[in-house]
């Protein structure tokens, strides 16, 4: 199977646009009629459901933010009575108080199907063993890929996170072929597999990794270590979960499931909609969901959209990898720094993706320290050799960031691992 929904994934632009417009009109009416909180936002913006007749009218609608979700917590944005709702999930709380999202069975089905498209695009099918070690529970990673794998008809291994040795044992015994987890956990698993000396016995062919930002360098590193092809997958709880967009064989960005989620790029400062190809904050409108129909939801995730023809045959628009979250941008001595920039430098310089960024304020000045693990090969270096390496890294980081950090190279496996999203930044300025 090449596509899960070929008629949608490869639809002509006209067909897709007509479908989107029809669904958008319906979704706006649904939200306006059933969500008083949203109706009030539309009133404030002086827009009525009748004003939204085509896709071009989308910018007339107000934005929704995570702040709105927090204000309306828990039920204020729910569009159906609770008796129609079958599931609640919650965000990981990476950037503050967790928010919740609601699903009817129809919403779960469309989410599962979005993940099924991702699994098929990564080369999955009925004969695959899909090893899911995203966390299960309130976090959407586990349930999303689990549901997708069921729709595809693959054998699903609901491992959840944790217990790395058991993960590897099951991977060997049950011959897992597709691995689903965060990229940082995939990197950790890869190291453990190599260390256990079982690299030649694993049957993995692909990985579907998401839920946190990762660089191209990290992708190549995981691919080389595991001998697989690594695919990016993106999503957020508020919009449904993983599978909002997914990568195909071309590995140059993620196709957005546009029949369910309309995407716009805006300037996060001015809120102006930017033309295709511009870098900015991605905003989603859910046009198929029943229980939690967020429209123009500001994700704070920074990326670029492109409608360039894709060699996989899909016509769905693509978003680039996430270049940062506007809310994880660090302002250090007045300079904007994204953790992803630091990761890129470390991997380019031959270090593993095991690092931590420590921020503090000493005598009213911000200090930045980057701790990174040395590789096994560097372990035999002399103290002088390590000092020289640290100096080299300071220079490379300074060239990328425009500010000079302190660098400390630490022993292999000494930085705490996370089984879910990696904790990269410890900002003591806020503590
Ligand atoms: P939280 O915002 O608390 O982490 P979620 O668990 O819903 O909540 O995670 C969604 C967020 O995770 C997204 O908004 C995005 O910042 C990040 N994310 C998800 N998938 C990816 C990906 N493939 N690349 C980069 N970031 C991602
Ligand atoms: Zn493609």
């Amino acid at each position: 199977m090449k596509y899960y929904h070929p008629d949608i994934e490869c639809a002509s632009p006209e067909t897709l646009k007509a479908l989107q417009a029809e669904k958008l009109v319906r979704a706006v009416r649904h939200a306006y009629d059933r969500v008083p909180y949203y109706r009030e936002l539309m009133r404030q913006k002086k827009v009525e459901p009748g004003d939204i007749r085509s896709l071009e009218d989308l910018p007339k609608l107000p934005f929704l933010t995570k702040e709105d979700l927090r204000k309306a917590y828990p039920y204020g944005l729910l569009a159906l009575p609770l008796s129609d709702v079958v599931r609640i999930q919650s965000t990981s709380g990476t950037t503050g108080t967790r928010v919740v999202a609601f699903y009817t069975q129809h919403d779960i089905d469309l989410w599962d199907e979005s993940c099924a498209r991702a699994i098929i695009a990564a080369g999955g099918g009925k004969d695959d063993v899909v090893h899911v070690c995203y966390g299960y529970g309130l976090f959407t990673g586990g349930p999303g890929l689990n549901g997708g794998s069921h729709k595809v008809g693959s054998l699903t291994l609901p491992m959840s996170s944790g217990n790395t040795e058991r993960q590897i044992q099951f991977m060997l015994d049950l011959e897992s072929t597709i691995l689903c987890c965060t990229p940082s956990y995939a990197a950790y698993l890869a190291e453990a597999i190599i260390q256990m000396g079982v690299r030649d016995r694993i049957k993995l062919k692909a990985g579907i990794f998401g839920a946190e930002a990762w660089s191209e360098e990290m992708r190549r590193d995981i691919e080389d270590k595991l001998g697989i092809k690594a695919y990016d997958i993106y999503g957020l709880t508020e919009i449904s979960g993983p599978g909002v967009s997914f990568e195909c064989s071309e590995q140059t960005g993620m196709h957005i499931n546009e029949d369910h989620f309309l995407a716009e790029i805006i300037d996060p400062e001015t809120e102006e909609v930017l033309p295709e190809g511009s870098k900015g904050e991605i905003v989603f409108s859910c046009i198929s969901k029943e229980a939690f129909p967020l429209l123009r939801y500001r994700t704070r995730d920074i990326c670029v959209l492109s409608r360039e023809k894709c060699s996989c045959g899909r016509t769905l628009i693509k978003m680039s990898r996430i270049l940062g979250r506007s809310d994880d941008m660090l302002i250090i001595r007045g300079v904007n720094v994204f953790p992803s920039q630091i990761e890129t430098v470390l991997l380019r310089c031959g270090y593993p993706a095991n690092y931590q960024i420590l921020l503090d304020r000493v005598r009213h000045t911000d200090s930045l320290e980057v701790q990174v693990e040395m590789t096994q090969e560097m372990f035999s270096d002399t103290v002088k050799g390590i000092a020289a390496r640290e100096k080299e890294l300071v220079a490379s980081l300074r060239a990328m960031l425009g500010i000079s950090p302190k660098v400390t190279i630490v022993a292999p496996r000494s930085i705490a691992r996370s089984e879910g999203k990696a904790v990269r930044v410890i900002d003591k300025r806020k503590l």
Side-chain angles (χ1 to χ4, degrees):
M1 211 178 353
K2 226 177 138 196
Y3 313 103
Y4 187 74
H5 282 137
D7 48 332
I8 297 283
E9 294 176 62
C10 308
S12 71
E14 301 73 40
T15 311
L16 190 61
K17 266 188 132 180
L19 177 71
Q20 288 172 323
E22 185 199 316
K23 284 185 162 192
L24 172 66
V25 170
R26 228 184 307 142
V28 172
R29 175 50 79 189
H30 178 66
Y32 184 89
D33 286 349
R34 293 172 181 261
V35 186
Y37 188 100
Y38 193 69
R39 186 154 62 235
E40 184 50 35
L41 287 183
M42 282 181 65
R43 279 208 184 116
Q44 281 170 16
K45 202 148 186 239
K46 300 194 172 46
V47 52
E48 298 201 338
D51 299 330
I52 311 298
R53 285 183 298 265
S54 71
L55 294 178
E56 284 66 43
D57 296 324
L58 185 61
K60 292 180 184 163
L61 291 172
F63 290 109
L64 272 171
T65 63
K66 213 164 201 164
E67 243 357 88
D68 288 308
L69 266 70
R70 288 181 180 141
K71 265 193 230 158
Y73 176 89
Y75 300 128
L77 283 162
L78 188 57
L80 290 178
L82 271 180
S83 53
D84 290 336
V85 173
V86 300
R87 178 92 71 80
I88 294 180
Q89 303 280 166
S90 157
T91 59
S92 314
T94 309
T95 57
T97 330
R98 291 159 197 264
V99 297
V100 289
F102 303 89
Y103 306 73
T104 61
Q105 187 56 51
H106 162 271
D107 298 337
I108 297 271
D109 284 338
L110 80 84
W111 174 24
D112 289 350
E113 284 171 8
S114 300
C115 288
R117 292 181 189 174
I119 293 171
I120 300 277
K126 281 173 73 65
D127 297 329
D128 279 289
V129 179
V130 177
H131 186 117
V132 185
C133 43
Y134 285 111
Y136 280 65
L138 283 171
F139 176 53
T140 51
L145 270 304
N146 194 91
S149 172
H150 277 224
K151 292 271 181 203
V152 172
S154 315
L155 178 60
T156 313
L157 241 145
M159 295 296 300
S160 196
S161 55
N163 201 335
T164 302
E165 260 178 43
R166 188 180 58 195
Q167 298 280 357
I168 297 171
Q169 198 56 53
F170 269 89
M171 196 178 280
L172 292 170
D173 296 346
L174 304 174
E175 306 195 336
S176 309
T177 53
I178 298 185
L179 176 66
C180 307
C181 59
T182 56
S184 52
Y185 191 59
Y188 179 54
L189 265 176
E191 276 176 25
I193 287 169
I194 292 168
Q195 210 157 47
M196 282 168 71
V198 295
R199 158 75 160 79
D200 296 339
R201 287 174 46 213
I202 58 166
K203 297 282 189 295
L204 291 179
K205 62 177 189 190
I208 304 180
F209 305 133
E212 63 184 9
W214 50 317
S215 57
E216 197 55 35
E217 287 77 10
M218 187 158 170
R219 186 213 301 266
R220 297 300 162 217
D221 188 50
I222 297 171
E223 288 190 328
D224 289 347
K225 284 196 175 128
L226 288 175
I228 62 171
K229 207 159 164 169
Y231 298 85
D232 204 352
I233 184 167
Y234 167 86
L236 61 167
T237 313
E238 302 91 306
I239 301 304
S240 68
V244 170
S245 64
F246 59 92
E247 242 178 4
C248 61
S249 51
E250 207 181 84
Q251 293 179 305
T252 53
M254 298 172 277
H255 289 286
I256 299 174
N257 283 314
E258 287 185 274
D259 50 331
H260 304 313
F261 315 112
L262 301 183
E264 300 169 274
I265 291 284
I266 64 162
D267 177 324
E269 300 297 326
T270 63
E271 299 194 330
E272 180 198 354
V273 178
L274 302 176
E276 191 194 310
S278 320
K279 179 170 150 186
E281 177 181 339
I282 190 155
V283 171
F284 286 107
S285 296
C286 304
I287 51 172
S288 309
K289 289 202 309 173
E290 296 175 338
F292 207 56
L294 301 190
L295 294 165
R296 298 199 93 200
Y297 181 67
R298 291 190 56 175
T299 61
R300 317 299 294 178
D301 292 325
I302 307 294
C303 67
V304 180
L305 288 178
S306 156
R307 240 186 228 289
E308 258 172 48
K309 202 166 182 286
C310 188
S311 61
C312 76
R314 288 179 185 78
T315 47
L316 298 172
I317 197 166
K318 285 207 285 200
M319 59 189 267
S320 68
R321 70 173 58 253
I322 299 294
L323 305 166
R325 289 168 80 138
S326 61
D327 45 12
D328 75 8
M329 184 183 78
L330 304 166
I331 303 182
I332 307 170
R333 283 174 241 148
V335 177
N336 297 349
V337 172
F338 283 100
S340 56
Q341 295 175 299
I342 296 178
E343 178 177 307
T344 300
V345 172
L346 295 177
L347 282 136
R348 261 188 216 153
C349 297
Y351 292 84
N354 305 325
Y355 63 93
Q356 224 156 27
I357 299 164
L358 308 170
L359 295 169
D360 207 346
R361 186 161 288 145
V362 183
R363 273 178 259 119
H364 307 296
T365 307
D366 295 337
S367 68
L368 164 65
E369 177 179 352
V370 178
Q371 292 189 345
V372 60
E373 288 182 7
M374 59 181 86
T375 57
Q376 289 296 344
E377 298 81 68
M378 294 174 195
F379 203 43
S380 51
D381 278 12
T382 57
V383 174
K384 219 166 138 195
I386 291 177
R389 283 182 180 280
E390 287 175 345
K391 227 170 136 189
E392 263 171 38
L393 257 187
V394 169
S396 307
L397 285 165
R398 192 189 312 122
M400 170 69 105
L401 309 175
I403 53 168
S404 200
K406 176 181 175 203
V407 168
T408 312
I409 300 179
V410 299
R413 308 174 82 81
S414 60
I415 294 177
R417 297 296 195 277
S418 152
E419 285 151 3
K421 299 192 191 217
V423 181
R424 301 289 195 203
V425 181
I426 299 176
D427 194 345
K428 292 193 189 149
R429 299 176 303 179
K430 288 190 209 144
L431 300 177

